[in-house]
Amino acid sequence: MTALNFSITHEGIFLATDTLVTRDGRPLTFTAKVLMLPHMDGFVTGTGSIALFQRWSHEILSEGMVHMHVLDVFTPDRLRKIWNEMSDEERDNGSADIYHLYYDPNDDQFGGFAYRYSNDFESEPLGYGDYSKPSFDNAVEILDFPGDLIRACRRQRFAQEKLDPGERRQIGGQVIAYMMQRHEAEGQPMSTLMTAQVAYVFEDLDDMFLDRELDDDVWGSDLETCRSPI
């Protein structure tokens, strides 16, 4: 599962996720969980099934969409189709949310859409505010970037570690922080400036890397080659 924290404000979108991917509670791999779409002034991210996020990202990049509002029209049906074609293992126990975050130059405002498995992937508009998943008490208001996002991810991990293993969401690897804000250049229409940075590394990253469950589908068939640099 994913630690996901983001804030939609008049000034921009501020976002962070961890990088750990697990299978059956064990580390599997590490990956970025945000797709940056500068040509659409948007981010795509998600929680739950990493397979759904990756397949949806591939479809978006293959379609050549030019506006996040246009993409929103097609998203619910296409997510349902992808989900129905996935295996039980890929569905990660039936948990998945996809989020589209964007800047609308026509309205000069930032916004987002949520598509949740629990709501049959219907489009849910997101307004200004702070969003965290998994949720935790006294959620951190995102005022300092990326510090508050790092603190939110750490607090989510600490909260999850107190739960029984069967209920726990694994969080770890690195925290990658993303930002999207307006960008103005003389003689040019309003656009966005996007950044991404490794903002934090969890203390047990190396241990998780060594303990990861190597898999042919992720790492290729030559596992000895994969192990040799360690």
Side-chain angles (χ1 to χ4, degrees):
M1 301 294 282
T2 296
L4 172 63
N5 296 279
F6 62 89
S7 181
I8 304 174
T9 75
H10 177 70
E11 302 303 321
I13 291 174
F14 308 91
L15 162 70
T17 74
D18 72 328
T19 60
L20 176 64
V21 178
T22 62
R23 176 181 294 168
D24 298 327
R26 289 194 60 196
L28 177 63
T29 187
F30 303 91
T31 190
K33 302 175 183 178
V34 174
L35 172 65
M36 302 175 70
L37 300 168
H39 65 299
M40 297 173 64
D41 296 319
F43 292 142
V44 175
T45 186
T47 63
S49 170
I50 192 67
L52 179 66
F53 166 72
Q54 291 174 336
R55 292 190 183 193
W56 180 232
S57 295
H58 181 269
E59 186 156 328
I60 292 173
L61 293 172
S62 301
E63 286 293 323
M65 294 285 182
V66 296
H67 199 290
M68 296 297 280
H69 282 284
V70 176
L71 179 62
D72 174 61
V73 174
F74 300 97
T75 297
D77 285 341
R78 295 192 179 185
L79 287 178
R80 294 180 194 119
K81 182 176 183 296
I82 295 172
W83 186 258
N84 289 334
E85 293 172 349
M86 289 166 52
S87 67
D88 290 341
E89 183 177 62
E90 290 174 320
R91 290 175 182 173
D92 193 18
N93 298 318
S95 173
D97 294 337
I98 295 292
Y99 299 91
H100 293 177
L101 309 174
Y102 64 86
Y103 171 70
D104 187 340
N106 296 321
D107 294 334
D108 187 29
Q109 66 179 16
F110 295 89
F113 298 102
Y115 311 90
R116 310 175 203 272
Y117 168 76
S118 59
N119 192 31
D120 197 30
F121 298 115
E122 289 290 338
S123 175
E124 304 173 34
L126 301 175
Y128 289 169
D130 301 310
Y131 300 84
S132 295
K133 192 163 187 181
S135 59
F136 56 98
D137 294 337
N138 301 317
V140 175
E141 184 178 5
I142 309 302
L143 299 175
D144 169 52
F145 177 85
D148 287 336
L149 290 167
I150 295 171
R151 284 185 280 276
C153 290
R154 285 175 54 84
R155 289 179 61 182
Q156 286 168 315
R157 172 162 167 163
F158 294 153
Q160 291 299 307
E161 287 177 341
K162 296 178 181 179
L163 301 178
D164 293 335
E167 301 176 356
R168 186 180 305 160
R169 301 185 183 188
Q170 300 292 334
I171 294 169
Q174 301 157 307
V175 173
I176 303 183
Y178 302 80
M179 179 175 64
M180 175 166 50
Q181 293 186 296
R182 295 174 184 83
H183 177 69
E184 298 182 70
E186 186 175 351
Q188 299 293 324
M190 182 75 73
S191 63
T192 55
L193 175 66
M194 299 181 179
T195 66
Q197 67 181 96
V198 175
Y200 180 76
V201 179
F202 285 100
E203 295 83 354
D204 58 353
L205 171 63
D206 290 342
D207 292 338
M208 283 191 169
F209 183 80
L210 292 170
D211 190 45
R212 73 198 189 283
E213 182 180 302
L214 293 176
D215 185 276
D216 288 0
D217 293 337
V218 176
W219 298 101
S221 58
D222 188 357
L223 296 186
E224 291 304 318
T225 300
C226 293
R227 292 191 179 100
S228 61
I230 298 175

